[in-house]
Amino acid sequence: MESPFRADVLIGKVALLTGGGSGIGFEISAQFGKHGASIAIMGRRKNVLDDAVLVLQSLGIPAIGLVGDVRKQEDAQRVVEATVKHFGKLDILVNAAAGNFLVSAEDLSPNGFKTVMDIDSVGTFTMCHEALKYLKKGGPGRCSEHGGFILNISATLHYTAAWYQLHVSAAKAAIDALTRNLALEWGTDYDIRVNGIAPGPIGDTTGMSKLVPPEMNSKARDYMPLYKVGEKWDIAMAAVYLASDAGKYINGTTMPVDGGLWLSKPRHLSKDAVKQLSRTVEKRSRATPAGLPTSKL
């Protein structure tokens, strides 16, 4: 799809994306590059990174791949420093690395819980911690009087509760809290904006194939307001908006991009049934003697 943004809205920016070699992270990488940014992607699988870099470079996007695990502080430090060494600075950090699987709370091992917390929440903080000195106003390599931008990829699972997603709900709740607190502290001290995006069900992603059974699609009309699955492009466009000057006054916000799904509940009555019920109640109300409660009839 054609972008609604100018092709130069991120011109001159350098972005580092964890989990940027596949899925939503790669789409954000590609769209940032198409809008003028130079791209560094971080991941644990060299073959995935190499393939992603080749695609980005074929689009004319300056791009490098850096192998690293967000759970390891030494990897985070090395990747951030390698990005700055290669491109001269760092303007944008996107934390898109994540882990997930379906499991009931009683079958979830403490190690499984810890693994997801370490990748999602601890990994996000570790990357932010190592990137701070390059993102803050006046930091090494910064040519702007303003600070940089951090984008954390979250979810909507923890807004209420989600079946078999205790570990991920806890991790994403921590990311949202981290986003707000860093926006407050680093926005005040260093002019760094920190925001998040909470994607809904996005087609052609590992999450959809692993977490959404095919039979759920037949029930979708009952609970999805827009009755459609989102696209990776939708998340990437929200990311471009937040990273560009269009989002320069947005800080500490996690934006749900899910077609309103997080607001929804199954429809218990059809619209026709509601109309009929309303007419019945109205008739009873008109038939009730003045001053006599309907419960006494």
Side-chain angles (χ1 to χ4, degrees):
M1 295 177 63
E2 185 176 348
S3 170
F5 299 99
R6 294 195 325 266
D8 63 351
V9 292
L10 297 179
I11 194 73
K13 302 290 187 183
V14 174
L16 167 60
L17 301 95
T18 71
S22 61
I24 289 172
F26 177 74
E27 183 67 17
I28 296 174
S29 300
Q31 292 298 338
F32 276 13
K34 289 178 180 179
H35 289 83
S38 298
I39 304 298
I41 53 177
M42 175 184 181
R44 288 179 290 171
R45 297 173 294 173
K46 186 176 186 302
N47 61 316
V48 173
L49 292 178
D50 289 345
D51 290 345
V53 168
L54 285 175
V55 173
L56 293 174
Q57 291 177 344
S58 73
L59 297 171
I61 298 169
I64 59 172
L66 300 164
V67 177
D69 189 333
V70 296
R71 294 173 291 182
K72 299 177 180 179
Q73 185 176 1
E74 60 271 23
D75 282 12
Q77 182 180 30
R78 173 178 51 79
V79 166
V80 169
E81 290 178 350
T83 300
V84 175
K85 182 177 180 180
H86 186 87
F87 290 115
K89 60 172 182 168
L90 178 63
D91 300 292
I92 300 168
L93 170 66
V94 178
N95 292 298
N100 200 351
F101 51 91
L102 289 174
V103 62
S104 66
E106 63 191 276
D107 293 328
L108 174 63
S109 70
N111 186 61
F113 183 89
K114 182 178 183 298
T115 297
V116 173
M117 292 294 292
D118 283 349
I119 296 172
D120 288 42
S121 49
V122 178
T124 292
F125 175 73
T126 301
M127 293 302 301
C128 292
H129 182 272
E130 296 306 315
L132 172 60
K133 70 178 180 180
Y134 299 105
L135 292 173
K136 66 183 181 180
K137 181 172 59 178
R142 292 207 60 75
C143 302
S144 170
E145 61 179 5
H146 302 294
F149 174 65
I150 297 172
L151 177 65
N152 300 322
I153 303 302
S154 184
T156 62
L157 302 169
H158 54 288
Y159 292 179
T160 52
W163 286 100
Y164 314 129
Q165 293 281 271
L166 167 64
H167 47 319
V168 184
S169 296
K172 298 304 188 183
I175 288 175
D176 286 1
L178 184 152
T179 295
R180 290 188 294 268
N181 281 271
L182 291 187
L184 173 65
E185 293 193 33
W186 291 0
T188 302
D189 293 342
Y190 304 121
D191 203 24
I192 295 173
R193 291 189 302 115
V194 187
N195 288 304
I197 292 175
I202 303 299
D204 193 27
T205 61
T206 302
M208 279 292 287
S209 61
K210 286 171 56 177
L211 305 175
V212 182
E215 59 268 22
M216 287 296 292
N217 292 331
S218 62
K219 302 177 182 178
R221 191 181 294 277
D222 292 334
Y223 64 89
M224 291 185 70
L226 296 185
Y227 187 53
K228 59 184 176 182
V229 170
E231 301 175 6
K232 290 176 285 189
W233 183 89
D234 296 314
I235 307 304
M237 287 300 102
V240 171
Y241 166 67
L242 289 171
S244 72
D245 286 344
K248 67 184 177 60
Y249 201 51
I250 301 174
N251 192 31
T253 294
T254 296
M255 178 191 298
V257 183
D258 71 341
L261 178 59
W262 78 275
L263 301 167
S264 65
K265 298 184 184 343
R267 194 195 303 260
H268 299 299
L269 291 172
S270 69
K271 286 193 284 188
D272 288 340
V274 171
K275 289 178 182 178
Q276 184 60 44
L277 180 61
S278 297
R279 292 191 193 101
T280 302
V281 171
E282 190 174 333
K283 288 178 181 177
R284 286 178 182 172
S285 177
R286 285 200 294 263
T288 302
L292 181 62
T294 55
S295 59
K296 297 296 184 180
L297 294 179

